[in-house]
Amino acid sequence: MNGLLSSIDSPADLRRLARPQLRPLADELREFLVQSVARTGGHFSSNLGTVELTVALHYVFDTPHDRLVWDVGHQTYPHKILTGRRERMHTLRQLGGISGFPVRSESEYDAFGTAHSSTSISAALGMALAAQAKGERRRAVAVIGDGAMTAGMAFEALNNAGVTKAPLLVVLNDNDMSISPPVGALNRYLAQLMSGRFYAAARSVGRQVLSVAPPLLEFARRFEEHAKGMVVPATLFEKFGFNYIGPIDGHDLESLVPTLENIRRLLDDGAGPQFLHVVTKKGQGYKLAEADPITYHGPGKFDPQVGVVPPAQPPKPTFSAVFGQWLCDMAERDKRLIGITPAMREGSGMVEFHRRFPDRYYDVGIAEQHAVTFAAGLACEGLKPVVAIYSTFLQRAYDQAIHDVALQNLPVVFALDRAGIVGADGPTHCGAYDIPFLRCIPNVAIACPSDEAECYQLLTTAYEQSHPVAVRYPRGAGVGAALPREPQALPYGRGEVRRRGRGVAILAFGTLLHPALQAAEALGATVANMRWAKPLDRDLVLALARDHEALVTVEEGAIAGGAGAAVMELLAAEGVVRPVLPLGLPDRFIEHGDPALLLARLGLDAAGIERSVRDRFGAHLVARPVLEVVHPAA
Ligand SMILES: Cc1ncc(C[n+]2csc(CCOP(=O)(O)OP(=O)(O)O)c2C)c(N)n1
Ligand SMILES: CC(=O)[C@@H](O)[C@H](O)COP(=O)(O)O
Ligand SMILES: [Mg+2]
């Protein structure tokens, strides 16, 4: 790193630079970013695309006094580097290190915590109107991507903002990409806005006039009207009550800075909400990422000279890949199957399904609520929808799951990926709550496969039911259990005893069965693979309670309201008095970091489970050899 970047410890330093210094600074920043993310892994192509925008926003606006809200926040690495966290970038997304998203407690420049998309306009509007209410002179800026813009919540916010005089700027960072190629009518509309004569005309006129315009509201207004009148009818965003400016080149600091300066004046003159459409390239400046922004959306570590290299040996299939395989196999057998993803085709393992069954594949954009109600509509007509959705993103569609699916008892399968610890993304993405929030909904069943084969089979069981069923599985690979040759159901609502011991019985829900089995070796305990958090295998729970002095439940989900709570409710309802130790995620948000390390810290690895059981139930443990091992783990 040479001179410029190392001298920037805050945006105040940046604002001391002369305008011609911004271009070399941006180049240094991009180079630093490439080297840094290559060492840590993390979101890459989106950050390469926001380098100039970040420099320009901090240069023109008075951050942190002016509020800058980044939608999703996966593109905030340049912002982190310029706001005093350059020296901590090597700790990005690691245990104890800085987050990959904006976090209010991490920096005063992180005006709002984000990671789930499409919240920025609402939050920035709240901040802008709060400033007005308190008589403070402050602007608020939301930066939102074209993918994030597809969510209903973004439009709810536009709808509200457009009838206010809020000092709010919405910057649409349009790189014509979500994680995958963008979908839907909005994308088509944005492409139209950028195409042909309008883009060329608006850009050249905008550059010429916006950069030299006197800071007079009326003049700026007249120019805007004139330019638009000449070229296109009012844009959608104007219909929503915003002053629309753009599209402009989001990598051209010579356009960005003067345009933002003029917008800042408009805000200060009380012109109300402004909408700036900037065009950027995902992966800008790193050729491999420009060519393949999907691979470089969130890569692991890589050599920046070489790029991302596929592993020499094919890795163990992830649970997402197992789901993708099952989806294709089942789609071949049943023409009624429809696969739905809210903008997570790659992460959910649906690339192959999309390729083979394009007419039965729906990427609905970042629209979890719509995805669930859309599935409900399909199910009403006798089709068999499978909604592949991350546990954390289903939180968005809770009412739709209750009101549209469960209340009408519709056979929708929820393939709940990323259930449990997710690792580097941290608390915003942790799949901690799905068992508690689904368990209390009538008609909904929840399966918790312990390995890949069981995942495949339980998806089949779920698909055969005539009511909603969620199958929850974690990020990454499991123990590597070989898949059955074809879809074959496991019994609905039934668990199994995997190891018979004495004194203490461990009831495992999901993949933590395997550390539980290891712990049980040392403890001489019984272990049951419960498979279903709902319905509980009542007979199995009661038999285990009868035959043991104490029970332990283990799950990779919140203890509060989780599967262990279900076991305790059953025992209480049956009047069975047995001590129960519930192990799982505690009542706090789980930080980012390596998943194995986090599980160990939470006492959810084999050693931790053994330790907790000894601490609590040492007296009940029987120091005798194991009586019987049933179905040894694969
Ligand atoms: C509610 C929600 N659904 C899905 C995601 C996963 N997700 C993160 S970034 C992203 C794509 C966003 O596209 P865009 O806003 O255009 O930003 P870009 O990646 O192009 O920079 C998606 C789908 C999310 N973070 N939040
Ligand atoms: C920012 C965001 O929400 C996604 O990019 C997410 O980080 C993807 O997570 P996975 O890597 O688990 O698919
Ligand atoms: Mg985008």
Side-chain angles (χ1 to χ4, degrees):
M1 182 174 36
N2 55 38
L4 277 175
L5 186 59
S6 59
S7 71
I8 308 292
D9 291 324
S10 75
D13 296 331
L14 170 68
R15 291 193 277 268
R16 278 191 279 275
L17 298 184
R19 218 190 259 183
Q21 292 177 290
L22 299 184
R23 182 70 260 165
L25 173 73
D27 294 341
E28 265 188 59
L29 179 52
R30 181 167 279 111
E31 179 54 25
F32 181 89
L33 187 68
V34 169
Q35 298 302 329
S36 178
V37 181
R39 266 199 300 276
T40 58
H43 292 101
F44 189 56
S45 42
S46 300
N47 283 289
L48 288 167
T50 52
V51 167
E52 287 81 8
L53 187 56
T54 308
V55 168
L57 283 167
H58 281 295
Y59 192 68
V60 171
F61 286 93
D62 181 22
T63 54
H65 179 78
D66 289 340
R67 309 301 194 214
L68 180 52
V69 182
W70 295 92
D71 209 282
V72 182
H74 64 314
Q75 75 293 58
T76 50
Y77 303 174
H79 160 86
K80 286 182 187 248
I81 294 167
L82 294 179
T83 55
R85 285 166 277 182
R86 187 182 65 244
E87 300 298 338
R88 295 175 65 202
M89 283 299 289
H90 68 281
T91 70
L92 188 78
R93 290 159 45 102
Q94 295 151 52
L95 198 57
I98 60 174
S99 168
F101 298 107
V103 179
R104 277 167 63 83
S105 58
E106 191 180 287
S107 166
E108 60 179 334
Y109 292 92
D110 293 1
F112 197 69
T114 49
H116 286 202
S117 86
S118 319
T119 59
S120 62
I121 306 176
S122 303
L125 176 63
M127 291 168 186
L129 291 180
Q132 277 188 341
K134 294 195 292 179
E136 292 169 357
R137 192 180 163 85
R138 171 194 308 290
R139 310 114 181 169
V141 181
V143 183
I144 183 166
D146 54 318
M149 196 69 221
T150 60
M153 207 182 154
F155 281 87
E156 292 168 29
L158 290 184
N159 186 48
N160 186 184
V163 293
T164 71
K165 280 283 172 200
L168 170 71
L169 166 62
V170 174
V171 179
L172 174 64
N173 173 26
D174 185 358
N175 57 16
D176 198 26
M177 278 301 282
S178 187
I179 294 180
S180 346
V183 294
L186 180 72
N187 171 255
R188 205 184 307 152
Y189 174 69
L190 293 178
Q192 276 166 15
L193 274 186
M194 291 197 309
S195 68
R197 265 172 10 106
F198 171 55
Y199 182 39
R203 204 171 57 154
S204 60
V205 177
R207 226 174 127 157
Q208 204 183 342
V209 181
L210 279 179
S211 55
V212 295
L216 290 175
L217 173 61
E218 273 317 303
F219 182 86
R221 275 220 181 108
R222 262 188 285 122
F223 156 67
E224 279 299 311
E225 289 308 313
H226 179 61
K228 283 168 205 154
M230 284 191 312
V231 190
V232 279
T235 64
L236 175 68
F237 306 104
E238 285 156 303
K239 302 272 186 204
F240 268 92
F242 279 72
N243 180 38
Y244 173 89
I245 298 154
I248 65 167
D249 180 349
H251 299 300
D252 179 7
L253 285 158
E254 295 304 314
S255 291
L256 274 176
V257 169
T259 304
L260 287 171
E261 283 171 344
N262 278 298
I263 290 173
R264 189 188 60 202
R265 290 185 197 109
L266 290 173
L267 293 174
D268 292 348
D269 289 341
Q274 306 293 311
F275 193 100
L276 175 64
H277 186 175
V278 303
V279 180
T280 60
K281 189 165 187 55
K282 205 161 169 170
Q284 171 79 11
Y286 185 79
K287 288 282 171 264
L288 293 167
E290 286 182 16
D292 183 3
I294 298 180
T295 296
Y296 287 89
H297 176 80
K301 299 175 191 185
F302 62 95
D303 177 346
Q305 301 301 325
V306 180
V308 174
V309 182
Q313 298 289 329
K316 273 196 294 188
T318 59
F319 280 96
S320 314
V322 169
F323 163 70
Q325 173 74 54
W326 173 84
L327 196 66
C328 291
D329 293 350
M330 190 52 89
E332 254 176 17
R333 283 167 179 74
D334 187 347
K335 292 207 171 339
R336 295 170 304 164
L337 185 149
I338 305 287
I340 301 169
T341 172
M344 299 303 284
R345 180 184 67 179
E346 280 73 18
S348 298
M350 292 175 78
V351 173
E352 183 62 9
F353 177 78
H354 182 197
R355 194 187 65 75
R356 287 179 55 192
F357 304 96
D359 298 340
R360 291 196 268 155
Y361 166 83
Y362 288 92
D363 176 350
V364 297
I366 305 183
E368 288 79 7
Q369 299 173 318
H370 162 66
V372 171
T373 304
F374 171 54
L378 292 166
C380 283
E381 300 302 322
L383 297 187
K384 298 276 286 175
V386 177
V387 181
I389 188 164
Y390 287 15
S391 164
T392 190
F393 298 143
L394 182 58
Q395 291 164 197
R396 274 280 163 97
Y398 193 44
D399 183 56
Q400 286 73 9
I402 297 174
H403 177 272
D404 300 332
V405 175
L407 184 56
Q408 306 187 86
N409 204 16
L410 294 167
V412 173
V413 173
F414 294 97
L416 272 193
D417 205 324
R418 285 14 177 216
I421 301 284
V422 292
D425 275 341
T428 54
H429 283 56
C430 184
Y433 312 110
D434 56 89
I435 297 181
F437 75 62
L438 290 175
R439 191 169 77 77
C440 57
I441 308 175
N443 295 334
V444 177
I446 312 165
C448 311
S450 66
D451 64 30
E452 296 86 340
E454 225 169 68
C455 184
Y456 188 94
Q457 290 165 304
L458 286 171
L459 282 162
T460 309
T461 312
Y463 193 77
E464 287 178 352
Q465 306 308 308
S466 55
H467 56 83
V469 184
V471 181
R472 78 183 301 266
Y473 45 88
R475 189 177 199 277
V479 288
L483 301 189
R485 277 176 200 275
E486 55 184 39
Q488 210 178 50
L490 283 170
Y492 178 72
R494 289 284 170 197
E496 58 170 5
V497 173
R498 286 286 281 262
R499 182 185 192 281
R500 282 195 197 282
R502 300 183 64 173
V504 171
I506 304 177
L507 286 65
F509 294 84
T511 50
L512 293 187
L513 171 72
H514 301 282
L517 281 165
Q518 278 178 44
E521 285 294 318
L523 295 164
T526 291
V527 178
N529 173 22
M530 296 303 297
R531 285 191 184 138
W532 295 86
K534 186 185 174 186
L536 266 187
D537 188 337
R538 198 173 167 279
D539 295 345
L540 179 56
V541 173
L542 294 177
L544 292 169
R546 187 188 60 222
D547 297 343
H548 297 81
E549 293 174 53
L551 303 183
V552 178
T553 60
V554 184
E555 64 199 292
E556 199 173 323
I559 293 173
V567 169
M568 290 187 267
E569 286 164 16
L570 172 64
L571 296 179
E574 295 290 328
V576 176
V577 180
R578 278 286 176 280
V580 180
L581 171 63
L583 299 180
L585 303 182
D587 187 16
R588 64 176 170 78
F589 291 107
I590 309 303
E591 58 271 56
H592 52 265
D594 174 71
L597 221 55
L598 287 169
L599 284 171
R601 286 235 176 149
L602 293 162
L604 293 174
D605 60 349
I609 294 170
E610 184 189 339
R611 200 169 48 244
S612 299
V613 176
R614 282 194 195 287
D615 287 353
R616 178 71 191 276
F617 294 134
H620 297 306
L621 294 169
V622 181
R624 272 185 236 156
V626 173
L627 296 184
E628 188 189 344
V629 176
V630 191
H631 304 308

PDB file of all heavy atoms in Angstrom, residues 279-290:
ATOM      1  N   VAL A 279     -24.984   3.097 -12.174  1.00  0.00           N
ATOM      2  CA  VAL A 279     -24.731   1.832 -12.866  1.00  0.00           C
ATOM      3  C   VAL A 279     -23.314   1.389 -12.533  1.00  0.00           C
ATOM      4  O   VAL A 279     -22.358   2.147 -12.736  1.00  0.00           O
ATOM      5  CB  VAL A 279     -24.875   2.023 -14.388  1.00  0.00           C
ATOM      6  CG1 VAL A 279     -24.626   0.714 -15.114  1.00  0.00           C
ATOM      7  CG2 VAL A 279     -26.255   2.562 -14.719  1.00  0.00           C
ATOM      8  N   THR A 280     -23.186   0.192 -11.982  1.00  0.00           N
ATOM      9  CA  THR A 280     -21.850  -0.314 -11.645  1.00  0.00           C
ATOM     10  C   THR A 280     -21.685  -1.718 -12.210  1.00  0.00           C
ATOM     11  O   THR A 280     -22.645  -2.319 -12.698  1.00  0.00           O
ATOM     12  CB  THR A 280     -21.618  -0.364 -10.118  1.00  0.00           C
ATOM     13  OG1 THR A 280     -22.589  -1.240  -9.536  1.00  0.00           O
ATOM     14  CG2 THR A 280     -21.698   1.013  -9.491  1.00  0.00           C
ATOM     15  N   LYS A 281     -20.470  -2.225 -12.078  1.00  0.00           N
ATOM     16  CA  LYS A 281     -20.195  -3.594 -12.544  1.00  0.00           C
ATOM     17  C   LYS A 281     -19.807  -4.432 -11.343  1.00  0.00           C
ATOM     18  O   LYS A 281     -18.879  -4.066 -10.598  1.00  0.00           O
ATOM     19  CB  LYS A 281     -19.054  -3.561 -13.565  1.00  0.00           C
ATOM     20  CG  LYS A 281     -18.853  -4.884 -14.263  1.00  0.00           C
ATOM     21  CD  LYS A 281     -17.976  -4.680 -15.513  1.00  0.00           C
ATOM     22  CE  LYS A 281     -17.872  -5.932 -16.358  1.00  0.00           C
ATOM     23  NZ  LYS A 281     -19.145  -6.512 -16.772  1.00  0.00           N
ATOM     24  N   LYS A 282     -20.503  -5.535 -11.157  1.00  0.00           N
ATOM     25  CA  LYS A 282     -20.137  -6.434 -10.066  1.00  0.00           C
ATOM     26  C   LYS A 282     -18.775  -7.046 -10.412  1.00  0.00           C
ATOM     27  O   LYS A 282     -18.592  -7.567 -11.498  1.00  0.00           O
ATOM     28  CB  LYS A 282     -21.229  -7.512  -9.919  1.00  0.00           C
ATOM     29  CG  LYS A 282     -21.307  -8.116  -8.549  1.00  0.00           C
ATOM     30  CD  LYS A 282     -22.630  -8.819  -8.255  1.00  0.00           C
ATOM     31  CE  LYS A 282     -22.504  -9.623  -6.973  1.00  0.00           C
ATOM     32  NZ  LYS A 282     -23.774 -10.158  -6.480  1.00  0.00           N
ATOM     33  N   GLY A 283     -17.823  -6.942  -9.500  1.00  0.00           N
ATOM     34  CA  GLY A 283     -16.488  -7.487  -9.765  1.00  0.00           C
ATOM     35  C   GLY A 283     -15.534  -6.494 -10.399  1.00  0.00           C
ATOM     36  O   GLY A 283     -14.389  -6.863 -10.733  1.00  0.00           O
ATOM     37  N   GLN A 284     -15.963  -5.232 -10.562  1.00  0.00           N
ATOM     38  CA  GLN A 284     -15.171  -4.209 -11.274  1.00  0.00           C
ATOM     39  C   GLN A 284     -13.692  -4.210 -10.869  1.00  0.00           C
ATOM     40  O   GLN A 284     -13.344  -4.117  -9.690  1.00  0.00           O
ATOM     41  CB  GLN A 284     -15.773  -2.831 -10.973  1.00  0.00           C
ATOM     42  CG  GLN A 284     -14.972  -1.641 -11.435  1.00  0.00           C
ATOM     43  CD  GLN A 284     -15.136  -1.382 -12.948  1.00  0.00           C
ATOM     44  OE1 GLN A 284     -15.995  -1.967 -13.606  1.00  0.00           O
ATOM     45  NE2 GLN A 284     -14.294  -0.531 -13.495  1.00  0.00           N
ATOM     46  N   GLY A 285     -12.840  -4.325 -11.868  1.00  0.00           N
ATOM     47  CA  GLY A 285     -11.404  -4.152 -11.644  1.00  0.00           C
ATOM     48  C   GLY A 285     -10.660  -5.450 -11.383  1.00  0.00           C
ATOM     49  O   GLY A 285      -9.437  -5.446 -11.327  1.00  0.00           O
ATOM     50  N   TYR A 286     -11.367  -6.552 -11.204  1.00  0.00           N
ATOM     51  CA  TYR A 286     -10.697  -7.851 -11.064  1.00  0.00           C
ATOM     52  C   TYR A 286     -11.326  -8.735 -12.139  1.00  0.00           C
ATOM     53  O   TYR A 286     -12.487  -9.150 -12.014  1.00  0.00           O
ATOM     54  CB  TYR A 286     -10.898  -8.420  -9.650  1.00  0.00           C
ATOM     55  CG  TYR A 286     -10.131  -9.697  -9.379  1.00  0.00           C
ATOM     56  CD1 TYR A 286      -8.778  -9.673  -9.074  1.00  0.00           C
ATOM     57  CD2 TYR A 286     -10.773 -10.934  -9.432  1.00  0.00           C
ATOM     58  CE1 TYR A 286      -8.075 -10.842  -8.829  1.00  0.00           C
ATOM     59  CE2 TYR A 286     -10.076 -12.110  -9.184  1.00  0.00           C
ATOM     60  CZ  TYR A 286      -8.735 -12.063  -8.879  1.00  0.00           C
ATOM     61  OH  TYR A 286      -8.032 -13.224  -8.630  1.00  0.00           O
ATOM     62  N   LYS A 287     -10.563  -8.975 -13.189  1.00  0.00           N
ATOM     63  CA  LYS A 287     -11.132  -9.542 -14.419  1.00  0.00           C
ATOM     64  C   LYS A 287     -11.937 -10.820 -14.185  1.00  0.00           C
ATOM     65  O   LYS A 287     -13.022 -10.998 -14.741  1.00  0.00           O
ATOM     66  CB  LYS A 287     -10.008  -9.819 -15.432  1.00  0.00           C
ATOM     67  CG  LYS A 287      -9.421  -8.558 -16.033  1.00  0.00           C
ATOM     68  CD  LYS A 287     -10.349  -7.993 -17.118  1.00  0.00           C
ATOM     69  CE  LYS A 287      -9.948  -6.615 -17.609  1.00  0.00           C
ATOM     70  NZ  LYS A 287     -10.680  -5.522 -16.942  1.00  0.00           N
ATOM     71  N   LEU A 288     -11.391 -11.699 -13.326  1.00  0.00           N
ATOM     72  CA  LEU A 288     -12.078 -12.986 -13.126  1.00  0.00           C
ATOM     73  C   LEU A 288     -13.444 -12.774 -12.484  1.00  0.00           C
ATOM     74  O   LEU A 288     -14.414 -13.464 -12.800  1.00  0.00           O
ATOM     75  CB  LEU A 288     -11.218 -13.908 -12.251  1.00  0.00           C
ATOM     76  CG  LEU A 288      -9.911 -14.364 -12.888  1.00  0.00           C
ATOM     77  CD1 LEU A 288      -8.990 -15.002 -11.852  1.00  0.00           C
ATOM     78  CD2 LEU A 288     -10.200 -15.341 -14.033  1.00  0.00           C
ATOM     79  N   ALA A 289     -13.524 -11.809 -11.574  1.00  0.00           N
ATOM     80  CA  ALA A 289     -14.798 -11.537 -10.910  1.00  0.00           C
ATOM     81  C   ALA A 289     -15.764 -10.828 -11.850  1.00  0.00           C
ATOM     82  O   ALA A 289     -16.980 -11.048 -11.793  1.00  0.00           O
ATOM     83  CB  ALA A 289     -14.561 -10.698  -9.654  1.00  0.00           C
ATOM     84  N   GLU A 290     -15.229  -9.989 -12.720  1.00  0.00           N
ATOM     85  CA  GLU A 290     -16.098  -9.334 -13.706  1.00  0.00           C
ATOM     86  C   GLU A 290     -16.731 -10.392 -14.608  1.00  0.00           C
ATOM     87  O   GLU A 290     -17.902 -10.317 -14.958  1.00  0.00           O
ATOM     88  CB  GLU A 290     -15.298  -8.358 -14.574  1.00  0.00           C
ATOM     89  CG  GLU A 290     -14.919  -7.080 -13.871  1.00  0.00           C
ATOM     90  CD  GLU A 290     -14.174  -6.121 -14.799  1.00  0.00           C
ATOM     91  OE1 GLU A 290     -14.206  -6.303 -16.035  1.00  0.00           O
ATOM     92  OE2 GLU A 290     -13.547  -5.181 -14.279  1.00  0.00           O
TER      93      GLU A 290
END
